[in-house]
Amino acid sequence: MTKNLYRNGLLTIFFLSLSLRFWGLGRFNTLVFDEIYYAKYGQDYLNHLPFFDGHPPFGKYMIALGMWLSSYIPFWHEGVNGLTGAMRSPWSYRWMDALSGSFIPIFTANIAYQISKRPGFALLAGLFTALDGLFLVESRYALINIYIVIFGLLGQWLFLLALSNYREKRNLYLILAGVAFGCSIATKWNGLFYLVGIYLIWIVGWFWQLIVGKNHFTDEQETNTQNILPLYKLTQVNIGQIILFLGIIPSVIYSLIWIPHLQINTKYNFIQVHQEILAFHERLGGNTAQVHPYCAAWYKWPLLTRPMAYYYQTAQSVNDPLPVWGPPLPAGAGKVIYDVHAMGNPFLWWFSVAALLFLLGMLIAKVSIPLSEQQPLTLPKQLSVDSWIALYILLNYAVNLLPWTRVSRCAFIYHYMTAVVFAFLAIAWFVDQCLRSYHLPLRIAGVTISFIIIAAFIFWLPVYLGLPISPEGYNMRMWFRSWV
């Protein structure tokens, strides 16, 4: 595949993501789900009004920026409401999320390309990410979870680009990666997991070199090694660069981001506000339905056993005004349902779990097979490309999921967003392997999996976009009682 074809594929995925996010963006002229907090907080920043929130401020800054810029845009002002504290249209507090969220498939695709140099794998990763329902829903409302993922993925991509370059250019990419990681952490603290994922893969790279005794490339040799995969060059980044660019810089950026917030909210200083945030999360209670009906422990996320309804209203017909406030009609009275369901693409998520298990089994087999043949345990001088891909995906997936096993507060399906993007990389890698195979059954399997993922996205699209559907259509899409 040529570079131009790859770029055209990325553009197609981007415009697909963009159109899905902006289509009917102002459909519900109200505050949907946590917009009751974050859209109001964005307006509070613009009005210089103090408030307390249980998360760092960067995501709310982005929403406030979109609201401020919308004042200078000569459209998007139809259907205003005063629910944020000022007369604004839903577009004004949603468009920044929609635009930003459209880049998530692109960053995912570029990470896939950097760890493999395979355009097909990269485009599949971008496409599958674009066909996920949870990311689509979160990108269509004034919510902050997408900013953790956007800047976390951006930081990882920039780190991989740093490995692909050398000297001054490498340092520049590392600086930008540190800034991106700082922004991710300054949205929610679990953005730190993206940075920890980089630490872990870097440690594995150095550990492997120390064990097998293989020398890394010198700076003089680097100009002739540009086609070598970035993950083969992890040891070209030293401990000093990690501390400075991926330790100090993210910390400084994180701290600087707090300054505007603390100037408006003078009740707490920098240390005190962090103590208050920690206390807020400790008070949220256990992970049970008694605390919140949509509480879902971490082990429920991968198999999509407890998605969330962000918005649910009924009407007598599609010609009635869109319901925006108040309880839905009594059971059986509504003939049209408007439902915004924060749920992933079911088959994409289920296939992704299988692909993760396959990658894990592939890595285990590299150790267990020599042992089963009564051979001494020896490490190869060089890991294969696919082994490094598997390590990168599994380490980042695990570091974004496993910390939640120790969390006792009420958690929700959207907390899985930071991890599930790496599951998308896993299924994209598996499908790409199938499509590149010489065996016809495997190629058919790759095409079939891709078709099922696309068909599933189309099938559940009405409950992602909040399109009007009949009660029968709604029930047809709620396959399990725990989905309602």
Side-chain angles (χ1 to χ4, degrees):
M1 183 182 296
T2 65
K3 286 187 176 181
N4 284 337
L5 190 59
Y6 174 63
R7 292 193 188 101
N8 290 337
L10 285 182
L11 282 174
T12 301
I13 292 170
F14 175 74
F15 285 115
L16 171 66
S17 300
L18 196 69
S19 61
L20 287 169
R21 282 158 175 78
F22 275 91
W23 179 25
L25 190 62
R27 177 171 292 117
F28 303 115
N29 187 12
T30 186
L31 299 179
V32 172
F33 189 52
D34 279 350
E35 285 187 329
I36 63 172
Y37 305 114
Y38 301 127
K40 288 182 178 179
Y41 293 157
Q43 185 63 47
D44 286 344
Y45 279 134
L46 297 179
N47 293 338
H48 294 85
L49 296 176
F51 64 89
F52 173 79
D53 180 41
H55 301 291
F58 185 75
K60 281 89 71 178
Y61 290 168
M62 294 295 292
I63 294 171
L65 176 62
M67 297 168 80
W68 177 74
L69 289 174
S70 69
S71 302
Y72 299 92
I73 299 174
F75 42 89
W76 297 347
H77 298 295
E78 300 82 8
V80 298
N81 66 65
L83 299 174
T84 62
M87 296 305 295
R88 292 189 172 276
S89 71
W91 276 79
S92 68
Y93 48 81
R94 292 174 184 164
W95 75 271
M96 181 61 76
D97 276 62
L99 177 62
S100 302
S102 301
F103 286 94
I104 293 178
I106 305 306
F107 292 160
T108 306
N110 284 330
I111 288 174
Y113 183 77
Q114 286 298 317
I115 63 177
S116 68
K117 299 300 182 183
R118 297 170 185 164
F121 169 35
L123 291 178
L124 284 169
L127 177 63
F128 290 165
T129 306
L131 297 179
D132 180 65
L134 182 57
F135 279 92
L136 176 58
V137 170
E138 285 275 336
S139 300
R140 286 174 54 84
Y141 299 97
L143 307 172
I144 64 174
N145 295 301
I146 63 164
Y147 297 112
I148 317 171
V149 180
I150 291 168
F151 287 96
L153 293 179
L154 177 60
Q156 293 217 348
W157 177 38
L158 289 167
F159 175 77
L160 293 170
L161 287 176
L163 295 177
S164 297
N165 290 274
Y166 60 99
R167 295 176 183 170
E168 293 82 4
K169 205 168 184 180
R170 170 172 291 162
N171 289 338
L172 174 61
Y173 280 121
L174 288 173
I175 291 171
L176 294 175
V179 172
F181 285 129
C183 292
S184 180
I185 301 167
T187 302
K188 284 188 177 181
W189 288 343
N190 56 313
L192 178 64
F193 301 155
Y194 283 108
L195 182 55
V196 174
I198 292 299
Y199 292 159
L200 290 179
I201 196 69
W202 177 79
I203 290 171
V204 168
W206 274 98
F207 175 79
W208 201 266
Q209 176 187 296
L210 292 174
I211 294 298
V212 304
K214 187 174 178 62
N215 294 324
H216 59 74
F217 297 101
T218 64
D219 284 346
E220 290 74 16
Q221 292 172 317
E222 283 190 61
T223 54
N224 298 319
T225 61
Q226 294 302 299
N227 292 325
I228 295 176
L229 294 179
L231 293 179
Y232 282 136
K233 300 193 285 186
L234 286 164
T235 54
Q236 292 177 9
V237 176
N238 59 49
I239 184 66
Q241 290 172 304
I242 290 292
I243 292 173
L244 175 59
F245 299 128
L246 300 184
I248 295 175
I249 287 181
S251 300
V252 170
I253 294 299
Y254 176 84
S255 301
L256 291 175
I257 285 172
W258 274 97
I259 292 176
H261 178 89
L262 295 176
Q263 288 177 332
I264 297 172
N265 300 269
T266 58
K267 183 177 180 180
Y268 304 114
N269 62 31
F270 183 77
I271 301 298
Q272 290 170 334
V273 75
H274 284 78
Q275 292 172 338
E276 290 297 319
I277 290 175
L278 182 59
F280 166 81
H281 290 289
E282 290 175 342
R283 290 193 301 266
L284 284 179
N287 214 351
T288 65
Q290 286 71 38
V291 176
H292 192 286
Y294 284 111
C295 280
W298 66 273
Y299 55 84
K300 296 182 179 181
W301 302 341
L303 295 180
L304 197 61
T305 60
R306 192 56 173 147
M308 300 179 68
Y310 280 5
Y311 178 90
Y312 182 91
Q313 289 289 341
T314 55
Q316 287 290 350
S317 74
V318 293
N319 297 320
D320 290 349
L322 286 175
V324 296
W325 203 257
L329 295 175
K335 298 179 181 178
V336 177
I337 292 175
Y338 294 89
D339 175 53
V340 177
H341 233 66
M343 61 182 286
N345 180 329
F347 284 95
L348 173 60
W349 284 35
W350 297 334
F351 286 145
S352 295
V353 171
L356 287 167
L357 294 174
F358 182 89
L359 285 175
L360 180 61
M362 183 181 75
L363 286 180
I364 293 173
K366 290 186 177 296
V367 176
S368 61
I369 290 177
L371 292 177
S372 66
E373 296 174 352
Q374 296 184 342
Q375 297 177 6
L377 179 60
T378 58
L379 296 175
K381 291 290 184 180
Q382 187 94 293
L383 280 177
S384 68
V385 172
D386 291 312
S387 295
W388 273 114
I389 292 172
L391 276 171
Y392 177 86
I393 291 174
L394 292 172
L395 278 176
N396 277 285
Y397 179 80
V399 81
N400 277 278
L401 178 64
L402 295 183
W404 291 100
T405 64
R406 306 297 300 171
V407 174
S408 58
R409 57 148 283 184
C410 179
F412 303 99
I413 188 71
Y414 57 71
H415 289 123
Y416 186 51
M417 290 173 64
T418 58
V420 76
V421 284
F422 297 102
F424 298 161
L425 286 172
I427 186 58
W429 174 86
F430 183 83
V431 170
D432 180 61
Q433 293 291 106
C434 290
L435 295 178
R436 295 191 304 119
S437 173
Y438 291 109
H439 301 286
L440 181 60
L442 286 178
R443 294 202 300 274
I444 292 174
V447 172
T448 302
I449 291 171
S450 301
F451 175 78
I452 292 174
I453 290 171
I454 294 170
F457 177 75
I458 295 171
F459 178 72
W460 273 282
L461 189 60
V463 297
Y464 300 148
L465 299 181
L467 299 177
I469 54 176
S470 66
E472 294 76 19
Y474 173 80
N475 292 329
M476 192 191 325
R477 290 166 175 83
M478 299 295 109
W479 284 10
F480 306 101
R481 291 180 61 87
S482 63
W483 283 11
V484 178

